[in-house]
Amino acid sequence: MTAILGISAFYHDSAAALIVDGVIVAAAQEERFTRCKHDASFPEHAIAFCLEQAGLCRNDLDYVVFYEKPFVKFERLLETYLAVAPAGFRSFAAAMPVWLKDKLFIKRRLRRELADAPKAKLIFTGHHQSHAASAFFPSPFEEAAFLTLDGVGQWATTTWGVGRGNKLQTDHQINFPHSLGLLYSAFTYHCGFTVNSGEYKLMGLAPYGSPIYADKIREHLIDIRDDGSFWMDMRYFQYCRGLTMTNRRFSDLFQIAPRQPESEFQQRHFDMAASVQAVTEEIVLAMARHIHRQSDCKNLVLAGGVALNCVANGRLLLEGPFERIWVQPAAGDAGGALGGALFAWHQLLNKQRTVQPDQDSQAGSLLGPSYTNAAISQFLDRQAARYTQIDDDRELTRRVAELLAEGKVVGWFHGRMEFGPRALGARSILADARAPQMQSILNNKVKRRESFRPFAPIVLQDLASEWFDIAPQHDSPYMSLVTTVAKSKRTPPQDDPTSLPSDRGTQPDALSRRLNGPPRSRVPAVTHVDDSARLQTVDRVRNPRLHQLLTDFYQQTQCPVLVNTSFNVRGEPIVCTPEDAYRCFAQTEIDVLVLENCIVIKSENSDQ
């Protein structure tokens, strides 16, 4: 037996992953256990879980793999500071104590933290090697081109190459400070969102605007070549010199200062979001075309933070030259823990890889902890909660489908927790996608987040192409693609005074009027203002209980679509334990909590 523990930590989204003889046994982000969103600390809880899941102790570990090379990263920091000195002194002064105390000597820190794993050999992989490995090795492809895109790891911000069998070969890379991820983060910052966590909000904001600044971005900020490679004009950016992403020249270019968080949006913010989204898609598509020409591969795999841009992924599938694409569900740095471990097993130890046709080895990305009905019952009894336990799974899903059809918001907790940022039906809040007001209810009363943010649909795989614009041979099991609602399911166009072209400007109520306009489709709760939807297809193999729930809902309503959003509230990680789920249920207006086979109805516990 060979046990390899992968670790990512000390930047954001620390995580651990364990593979045993090449099989992915467990993986989890540290934030789920500590309840600190994007926790960057050493993932001791995630490691403990992974070992417990495998029935191993630390002494059983053969290798510990850290997902990047700290000294190379430090070299990049030093060279950057020297290149811009003395301009970057404040940033330099803030960063160096942390590096000299913790980050530079990670090998020593790992040895100290894993003192009871004496035989484990330490390995450090390259940051983008870890991303590429996380994308290719679990994919369902024997051969595929890979593309990794993020903010920055060590030097590389973008790499591409080819994976064949158990080997990866990198053919090209783009280095810091030229970074598509940091370009997107700069607009994220300027529009008032937090860098490294608010990029998906910017993506959700983009459909409210028009890409009227795309030419300005191409003309001033980034030079894009035919092969998708690019060169950024650093005079507009501050991230090499200071503690912000953009500077006065950037503000002058768009004639707007950085938006303060939580302040009112202006039309300009929507248009900036739409513009950088359009340029991002343009670059990703150009790169894909070039990689396809160079590699002659039919398949493409992606990882890195930019690979979480579901809109770009959707266009890649629809317009790109590749027949199939696969995106690592934990595409950000958390997935580096898994990629590092897989890189060591296949690439460094030269272990063969077995590919099952049309089936990845990510196990639905359901790689976290689970809890038994007995443990849940004991917990609910301690809370003096009134609940019903339905041991027959079919009866359970029929009952929950009835509650959803009645308009109830359901907290759904089942099986092993997801690895990655998406809730895929293990720790989810579910609701009826047909309800016109459901988006507002979920945003305002349950999630307590910005009103503009859309919700994602889950749909039965077999019926996905009837309801959404996705070909029958394609799927989206990890919610990694955005497509549009099928025309046949959209509401016929109306003379809508809130439509985008006539609604431009800086009216303070413009966003509200757009959100509260006429239903755009038969599933308005998951239809964004441009008719798009971030799709998750559900099949019986990966998620049998969720598939049965959707089937029951379809039989009762003739609609195979539900809202699926992460089981958490704004600012908190997705729930991990029954305690986390019950607390979230109690503090929000979720109507029903389903913990495995136990159903808790809030109206029956109103005196709690």
Side-chain angles (χ1 to χ4, degrees), residues 303-317:
V306 179
L308 292 171
N309 193 307
C310 307
V311 182
N313 295 343
R315 285 195 63 188
L316 260 181
L317 182 64

Side-chain angles (χ1 to χ4, degrees), residues 378-424:
Q378 290 172 10
F379 165 73
L380 291 174
D381 289 341
R382 288 197 301 273
Q383 306 305 310
R386 299 183 185 91
Y387 65 95
T388 303
Q389 182 166 337
I390 302 177
D391 292 327
D392 183 283
D393 285 356
R394 289 299 309 276
E395 185 179 345
L396 174 81
T397 54
R398 276 196 294 268
R399 176 61 182 138
V400 177
E402 288 173 0
L403 292 165
L404 287 163
E406 292 169 7
K408 299 291 190 294
V409 177
V410 174
W412 178 259
F413 183 107
H414 171 65
R416 297 185 65 178
M417 182 180 69
E418 302 91 342
F419 179 52
R422 311 285 188 224
L424 301 171

Side-chain angles (χ1 to χ4, degrees), residues 564-585:
N564 175 20
T565 185
S566 56
F567 198 159
N568 64 337
V569 295
R570 186 181 186 185
E572 290 190 359
I574 298 174
V575 302
C576 175
T577 66
E579 290 87 343
D580 300 333
Y582 189 80
R583 189 184 314 113
C584 185
F585 166 69

